[in-house]
């Protein structure tokens, strides 16, 4: 783990304006003029965004706001039509996804990608970078990678213990529950030893009991020197663990700030309520929109009481 | 676990080596005749044969055997070893005393009127016989001394290209419809095409006029498609079988069907009893009335199907399913019924394409396999699952196949088309008319 | 019905040169499909490059046998790169179609009149196995009690099974390594592996090349065992049958191709012999109006296709496979 001194969110954001695209005191990720179109539809149109190092930043927005596409662009899984972005001072433009990951920016996926027919332990080992045994010339000769494999396995067990998966190390990942897969995916991402962890809806489909433990894990990441950027729909989660919130709607960033102030922002409420005026909704989508809107209203009510 | 696998491998090496090395010394004790391969070898004729088939491949789809040509074989000293005249299939075989180098000479004066050697200087060919039969080739082709004007050649190829393209479009449309609604890449689609041609042939030889046989064959194709879906594909879809598994199932089906076709019609080329050699209406284009009717009919069917897909309820439902199957199902579309219609219609179109193709270009049991890759090429060019794309792609592919023969040897014309397929996938993998997808 | 020869013939076929050829081809496909999830339908092309690389180099250009083998390997590597560059970024079904098309292109070009002076057109190349023949330690027919082989066949079979044993060892060593783990990860979900910093494209290329080299060895085996290569040897069905071998024995298992090849060729021969005998003679068991002796040889392929379908539907993990480790997402 990068042994940096942990950053106190309160001081990190002192004096940072609560406006879209505001400059941070120590940004780890800076994105500029990122555009992505699908046919005639503009999925992402981000003028400027900085992500503060060492804290947890949430990216929220109604369905179809372009959050996942923005994630894909930043991590090299999609190519923007235009735009520049730098991670830790290094430009990532045009860099393939695997090199983005190696540079220290590792993501998870909205639909969990646990490798079902590999064991939990093998899933974890796969996360380690710079493995000698992953080179074809060394692969056949075990002595060349045995020692490193042992170290990797130890590190993997350490993380599995922390994520309460050690007991399942030799099970196929396919036999895990949905929540456990989320845990595994996050643990596996940590095997890469990232500087920035990008989580795409880490709480989706996780049962309430496991959710608390998952929340705890996310919250503890900055203590190990990592930065977290995550997409989430559950406003309780966002309020609970994030230090800073960025709101996207229709591909743009419309608001930024600490959780409580952002959720009281009129633009944000309008975005959530207005996002689905034209398109017909499925029952689930409708429920979700209403739930989010209610939560935002509740936060606002709290604010006004204060 | 690891130890066991090592032991198995080591054991395998040991057993195999031992099994062969140990008995090697005792083997001579056994009578040689016991080995079945040795017995079989004894049945071969005394001397090796020099053989060949004289075929006019002006139109590779429709090679014509050349009969009555005198072939002579001489040994190295120039002594005549044997001579023979090609039979009705253009076939000749001459026995030679044994291994050695022989000269095979074709008597060009005995070539029938209008047939010429493709390479007029190659009246003899050297054959090195090494104990086995040796095949020699004398390519016979168009009279290159009276080259038709370039414009005429282009026109002629273009006409063939349009005709072939329309037939390919019928087949491609069926494949594309099935892919669009079910996601299945059907490797047995070529066999559906051959099905129409072969059923029509079997009905035709049992006495039915060609047109009636063709009509019944198309109906049979439709039934075949419907039954396949009902008995197989629908069940696999409901079981949740993956698309790759279904793709491999379709390969199994293709292997079976092809063997079955050969079972019923044998290995050689077949023609229908009527319309096999019509006379051209425009001499220069070798365009016949039959071809014009086939083209008009195919075009009419394609237009009718396209209109049906755009306007009818089922057509709209099909496009809805192709767009988003769960949404279509939840909005009250009976997906199974629509897919059954697609299979029935797709198979009927393929069968019709096959019948019309065989009418023009003859048929054999491998017809489907030969066309399959061109159908895929057409469909991918337009973008898998798009209706217009399939037809558009078919025309481009067939025009390319025909016109490319102006610059590359005719034997490689399909090679060029398949090369185009690969280039397209390199530049625009989603096809010309499809969208890119989002990950995550 | 003469059961003795039926049994011995089938046993001979199950371990004979043809089964060996398909086994080696299927070992290559196992790396492609079983472990990496690449649906390569162009294995015939790699075999053709192997066979023709050897045949043309020795016969046309007079290259020494061992050097010719290296030329075959080199050609395979080049083909893998040419084939992989455009296709490895594609969806599975596109990859399948493209590799199938590439194999057909190569077959047509190898057999073309244009290249006849070098490659022998439809007759291909013969008489390049002399080196192997000269090294044959067997002076007489080899009789193993139940089965027997002519000396050259026995020699080819010995070499072939040693090659298979070595190939299995290589595959086993590779697949227990971290390298093999990356391949299996790619098979499951390549985006997940990419997100962990692995160069998925590079690994796929390595897998394609390595599996292709086994295909190339299969091509050598085919050429040497028949002492000839002709373009018709390398038709589309060759790849499909190799897939049958792999799926029958179980994909993603080291010994899957071995089991599959023995079973498949044994079965094909039992069927071929059975129907051959049942339709031969003046008074055949099956009347000629149902099946004549030409048709009898086709029954096994009809059965093979149906068997492949049933296998995929009911036992996609192969006869001895473990469903939990199944390479194919059957559902």
């Amino acid at each position: 783990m990068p042994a940096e001194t942990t950053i106190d969110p309160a001081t990190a954001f002192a004096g940072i304006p609560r406006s879209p695209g505001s400059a941070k005191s120590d940004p780890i990720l800076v994105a500029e003029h990122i555009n992505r179109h699908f046919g005639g539809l503009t999925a992402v149109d981000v003028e400027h965004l900085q992500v503060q190092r060492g804290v947890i930043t949430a990216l929220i927005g109604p369905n179809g706001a372009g959050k996942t596409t923005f994630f894909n662009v930043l991590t090299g899984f999609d190519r923007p039509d235009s735009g520049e972005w730098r991670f830790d001072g290094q430009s990532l433009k045009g860099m393939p996804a695997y090199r983005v990951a190696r540079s220290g920016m590792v993501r998870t996926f909205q639909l969990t990608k646990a490798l079902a027919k590999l064991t939990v332990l093998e899933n974890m080992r796969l996360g380690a970078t710079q493995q000698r045994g992953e080179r074809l010339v060394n692969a056949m000769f075990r002595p060349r990678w045995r020692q490193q494999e042992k170290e990797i396995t130890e590190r993997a067990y350490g993380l599995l213990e922390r994520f309460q998966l050690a007991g399942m190390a030799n099970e196929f990942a396919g036999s895990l529950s949905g929540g456990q897969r989320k845990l595994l995916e996050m643990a596996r991402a940590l095997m890469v030893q990232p500087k920035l962890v990008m989580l795409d809806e880490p709480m989706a489909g996780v049962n309430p009991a496991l959710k608390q433990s998952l929340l705890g894990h996310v919250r503890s990441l900055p203590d190990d020197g990592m930065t977290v950027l995550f997409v989430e729909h559950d406003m309780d989660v966002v309020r609970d663990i994030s230090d800073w919130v960025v709101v996207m709607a229709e591909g743009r960033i419309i608001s930024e700030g600490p959780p409580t102030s952002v959720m009281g922002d009129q633009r944000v409420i309008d975005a959530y309520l207005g996002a689905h005026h034209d398109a017909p909704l499925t029952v689930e989508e409708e429920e979700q929109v209403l739930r989010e809107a209610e939560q935002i209203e509740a936060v606002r009510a709290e604010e006004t009481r204060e | 676990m690891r130890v066991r696998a090592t032991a198995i491998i080591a054991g395998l090496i040991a057993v195999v080596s031992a099994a062969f090395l140990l008995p090697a010394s005792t083997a001579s004790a056994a009578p040689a005749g016991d080995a079945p391969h040795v017995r079989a070898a004894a049945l071969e004729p005394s001397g090796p044969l020099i053989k060949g088939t004289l075929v006019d491949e002006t139109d590779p789809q429709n090679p014509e055997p050349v009969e009555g040509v005198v072939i002579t074989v001489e040994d190295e000293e120039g002594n005549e070893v044997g001579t023979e005249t090609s039979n009705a299939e253009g076939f000749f075989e001459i026995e030679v005393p044994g291994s050695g180098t022989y000269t095979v000479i074709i008597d060009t004066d005995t070539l029938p009127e209008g047939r010429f050697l493709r390479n007029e200087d190659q009246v003899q060919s050297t054959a090195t016989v090494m104990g086995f039969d040796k095949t020699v080739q004398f390519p016979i082709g168009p009279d290159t001394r009276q080259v038709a004007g370039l414009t005429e050649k282009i026109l002629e190829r273009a006409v063939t290209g349009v005709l072939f393209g329309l037939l390919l479009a019928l087949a491609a449309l069926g494949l594309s419809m099935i892919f669009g609604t079910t996601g299945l890449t059907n490797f047995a689609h070529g066999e559906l095409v051959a099905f129409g041609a072969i059923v029509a042939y079997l009905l035709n030889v049992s006495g039915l006029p060609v047109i009636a046989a063709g009509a019944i064959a198309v109906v049979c194709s439709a039934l075949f498609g419907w039954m396949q879906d009902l008995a197989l594909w629908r069940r696999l879809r409901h079981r949740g079988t993956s698309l790759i598994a279904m793709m491999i199932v379709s390969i199994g089906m293709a292997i079976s069907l092809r063997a079955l076709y050969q079972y019923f019609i044998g290995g050689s080329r077949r023609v229908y009893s009527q319309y096999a050699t019509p006379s051209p209406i425009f001499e220069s284009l070798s365009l016949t009335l039959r071809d014009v009717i086939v083209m008009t009919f195919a075009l009419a069917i394609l237009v009718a199907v396209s209109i049906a897909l755009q306007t009818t309820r089922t057509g709209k439902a099909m496009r809805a399913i192709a767009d988003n199957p769960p949404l279509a199902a939840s909005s009250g579309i009976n997906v199974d019924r629509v897919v059954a219609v697609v299979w029935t219609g797709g198979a009927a179109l393929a069968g019709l394409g096959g019948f019309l193709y065989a009418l023009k270009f003859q048929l054999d049991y491998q017809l489907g396999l030969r066309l399959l890759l061109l159908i895929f090429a057409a469909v991918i060019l337009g973008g898998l699952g798009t209706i217009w794309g399939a037809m558009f792609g078919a025309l481009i592919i067939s025009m390319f196949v025909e016109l490319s023969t102006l610059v590359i040897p005719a034997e490689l014309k399909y090679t060029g088309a398949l090369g185009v397929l690969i280039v397209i996938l390199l530049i625009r993998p989603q096809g010309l008319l499809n969208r890119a997808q989002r990950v995550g | 019905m003469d059961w003795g020869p039926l049994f011995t013939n089938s046993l001979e076929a199950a371990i004979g040169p043809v089964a060996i050829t398909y086994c080696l081809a299927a070992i290559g496909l196992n790396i492609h499909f079983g472990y990496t999830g690449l649906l390569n339908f162009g294995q015939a092309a790699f075999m053709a490059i192997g066979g023709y690389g050897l045949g043309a180099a020795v016969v046309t250009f007079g290259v020494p046998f061992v050097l010719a083998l290296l030329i075959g390997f080199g050609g395979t590597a080049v083909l893998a790169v040419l084939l992989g560059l455009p296709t490895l970024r594609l969806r599975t079904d596109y990859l399948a179609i493209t590799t199938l098309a590439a194999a057909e292109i190569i077959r047509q070009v190898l057999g073309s009149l244009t290249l006849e002076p070098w490659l022998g057109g439809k007759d291909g190349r013969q008489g390049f196995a002399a080196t192997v023949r000269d090294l044959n330690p067997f002076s007489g027919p080899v009789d193993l009690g139940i089965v027997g082989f002519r000396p050259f066949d026995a020699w080819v079979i010995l070499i072939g099974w040693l090659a298979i044993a070595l190939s299995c060892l290589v595959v086993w060593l590779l697949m227990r390594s971290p390298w093999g783990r990356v391949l299996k990860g790619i098979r499951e979900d390549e985006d997940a592996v990419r997100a962990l910093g692995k160069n998925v494209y590079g690994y796929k290329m390595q897998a394609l090349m390595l599996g292709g080299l086994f295909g190339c060895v299969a091509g050598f085996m085919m050429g040497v065992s028949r002492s000839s290569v002709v373009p018709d040897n390398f038709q589309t069905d060759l790849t499909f049958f190799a897939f049958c071998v792999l799926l029958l024995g179980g994909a993603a298992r080291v010994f899957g191709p071995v089991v599959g090849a023995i079973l498949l060729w044994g079965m094909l021969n039992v069927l071929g012999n059975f129907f051959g005998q049942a339709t031969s003679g003046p008074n055949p068991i099956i009347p000629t109006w149902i099946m004549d002796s030409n048709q009898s040889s086709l029954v096994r392929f009809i059965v093979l296709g149906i068997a492949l379908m049933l296998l995929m539907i009911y036992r996609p993990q192969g006869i001895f496979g473990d469903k939990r480790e199944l390479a194919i997402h059957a559902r």
Side-chain angles (χ1 to χ4, degrees), chain A residues 76-305:
Chain A
F77 280 84
D78 196 359
R79 297 254 175 275
D81 298 298
S82 66
E84 283 279 351
W85 65 108
R86 288 187 309 282
F87 171 67
D88 228 7
Q90 181 187 15
S91 174
L92 297 187
K93 189 180 183 181
M95 190 184 273
Y98 77 95
R99 286 186 49 208
V100 171
R102 281 185 196 172
S103 73
M105 180 165 154
V106 174
R107 71 171 294 179
T108 65
F109 294 88
Q110 190 176 339
L111 299 167
T112 326
K113 291 184 185 292
L115 305 170
K117 273 133 197 171
L118 265 59
T119 64
V120 169
L121 186 59
E122 288 284 68
N123 262 279
M124 293 295 287
R125 284 169 170 162
L126 189 62
T129 48
Q130 310 234 316
Q131 296 190 40
R132 280 188 290 277
E134 284 184 354
R135 299 172 59 89
L136 183 53
V137 285
N138 297 332
M140 269 169 50
F141 310 104
R142 196 171 198 199
R144 295 196 189 172
W145 46 265
R146 192 199 304 260
Q147 185 55 35
Q148 193 187 24
E149 184 85 346
K150 222 178 114 196
E151 290 159 20
I152 289 168
T153 308
E154 273 165 24
R155 197 149 60 81
Y157 267 111
L159 278 167
L160 287 177
E161 293 284 353
R162 183 168 147 197
F163 283 78
Q164 284 129 40
L165 288 169
M168 318 203 61
N170 293 313
E171 305 278 328
F172 285 106
S175 63
L176 300 184
S177 74
Q180 287 174 322
R181 288 181 201 208
K182 287 269 181 200
L183 283 172
L184 173 61
E185 200 183 8
M186 198 190 290
R188 192 178 63 192
L190 297 187
M191 284 295 288
V192 188
Q193 297 178 312
K195 290 181 249 178
L196 171 60
V197 186
M198 316 250 301
L199 305 171
D200 197 349
E201 299 204 20
M203 305 299 160
V206 179
N207 72 47
L210 219 54
K211 194 179 267 182
Q212 281 312 313
S213 118
L214 203 52
L215 275 179
H217 292 310
V218 176
R219 204 185 278 129
S220 70
L221 294 178
D223 300 337
D224 295 321
M226 281 176 266
T227 307
V228 180
L229 176 64
F230 75 108
V231 169
E232 188 50 67
H233 274 295
D234 188 328
M235 290 304 153
D236 286 332
V237 171
V238 171
R239 196 157 40 121
D240 231 19
I241 64 169
S242 56
D243 304 309
W244 191 260
V245 178
V246 176
V247 190
M248 273 183 89
E250 291 170 351
R252 292 167 208 276
I253 291 176
I254 56 164
S255 178
E256 256 192 73
T260 42
S261 76
V262 159
M263 288 182 192
D265 191 330
Q266 187 59 45
R267 282 170 303 184
V268 178
I269 295 159
D270 288 348
Y272 269 86
L273 293 176
H276 294 286
H277 273 170
D278 326 323
L281 291 178
T282 65
V283 179
E284 296 81 31
E285 281 173 338
E286 197 168 271
E287 275 174 4
Q288 172 146 25
V289 170
L290 288 175
R291 212 167 46 232
E292 284 162 6
E294 273 167 18
Q295 285 171 346
I296 290 171
E297 284 292 342
V299 172
R300 197 150 80 122
E302 263 175 49
E303 299 251 305
T304 40
R305 266 204 308 277

Side-chain angles (χ1 to χ4, degrees), chain B residues 255-256, chain C residues 241 244 264 267-268 300-308:
Chain B
I255 291 174
S256 277
Chain C
F241 286 7
C244 290
L264 186 73
M267 183 194 91
L268 283 182
R300 53 188 169 159
F301 296 115
I302 300 173
V303 174
L304 174 67
I306 294 171
L308 181 61

Side-chain angles (χ1 to χ4, degrees), chain B residues 187 251 369 372-373 376 418 421-422, chain C residues 39-45 83 87 93-107 235-237 239-240:
Chain B
F187 276 78
I251 289 174
L369 183 65
L372 180 69
L373 277 172
F376 276 146
L418 297 181
L421 165 68
I422 293 178
Chain C
L39 207 47
N40 170 26
F41 279 177
Q43 191 70 336
L83 203 55
T87 58
D93 46 353
Y94 283 0
L95 176 72
I97 294 169
T98 317
T99 46
L100 191 63
E104 196 55 18
I105 290 177
I106 283 177
R107 188 180 70 86
Q235 295 202 350
T236 312
D237 276 348
T239 305
F240 289 161

Side-chain angles (χ1 to χ4, degrees), chain B residues 1-3 5-6 8-9 12-13 16-17 19-21 23-24 26-28 30-32 34-39 41 57 118 128 130 132 134-137 139 179 183 185 187 232-233 236 239-256 258-260 262-264 366 369 372-373 376-377 380 383-384 409 411-416 418-419 421-422 425-426 429-431 434 437 439-440, chain C residues 5 8-9 12 15 33 37 39 41 83 85-87 90-94 96-98 100-102 104-105 108-109 111-116 121-123 126-127 137-138 140-144 148-150 153-155 157-158 161-162 164-166 168-169 172 176 191 227 235-237 240-241 243-244 247 254-255 258 290-292 295-296 298-299 301-309 312-314 328-331:
Chain B
M1 183 71 192
R2 197 183 73 237
V3 179
T6 324
I8 292 176
I9 293 171
L12 185 72
I13 298 176
V16 169
S17 321
F20 281 89
L21 295 174
T26 58
S28 50
D34 270 8
H37 300 298
V38 180
R39 259 204 316 274
E57 286 183 334
R118 179 165 288 158
T128 313
M130 311 208 344
F132 308 105
K134 172 76 185 176
T135 305
V136 291
Q137 288 171 333
F179 177 86
T185 312
F187 276 78
L232 178 66
W233 304 114
L236 294 186
R239 276 166 56 117
T241 307
S242 79
L243 292 174
I244 290 183
M246 288 212 264
M247 194 196 293
I248 295 173
V249 169
S250 79
I251 289 174
M253 179 179 266
I255 291 174
S256 277
R258 216 177 306 130
L260 208 59
Q262 197 185 356
Y263 191 100
F264 285 115
Q366 287 191 313
L369 183 65
L372 180 69
L373 277 172
F376 276 146
I380 287 179
L384 265 174
E411 59 171 353
L412 292 179
K413 64 180 185 181
Y414 295 129
T415 308
L418 297 181
L421 165 68
I422 293 178
L425 286 171
L426 182 61
Q430 70 271 38
N434 254 2
Q437 281 179 330
V439 293
Chain C
T8 45
N9 279 346
E12 279 164 8
I15 59 168
F33 180 64
L39 207 47
F41 279 177
L83 203 55
L85 278 178
T87 58
L90 302 179
R91 242 168 46 188
T92 324
D93 46 353
Y94 283 0
I97 294 169
T98 317
L100 191 63
E104 196 55 18
I105 290 177
Q108 288 178 8
V109 170
S112 67
L113 274 176
T114 321
L115 295 178
E116 197 187 3
K122 301 251 177 297
D123 291 331
Q126 289 104 31
F138 305 109
V142 178
D143 193 333
L144 300 176
F149 298 99
R150 289 181 297 182
D153 283 344
W155 176 222
I157 290 170
L158 175 61
W161 280 100
L162 286 174
I164 288 174
L166 190 66
C168 286
L169 181 68
W172 177 74
R176 67 167 188 171
D191 278 336
S227 299
Q235 295 202 350
T236 312
D237 276 348
F240 289 161
F241 286 7
F243 259 96
C244 290
L247 295 169
V254 172
F255 289 108
V258 181
I290 296 180
M291 191 190 293
D292 62 31
Q295 292 172 324
S296 74
L298 294 167
V299 176
F301 296 115
I302 300 173
V303 174
L304 174 67
I306 294 171
L308 181 61
M309 291 168 74
M312 245 7 257
I313 296 170
Y314 295 108
I328 313 137
H329 298 285
R331 343 196 124 205

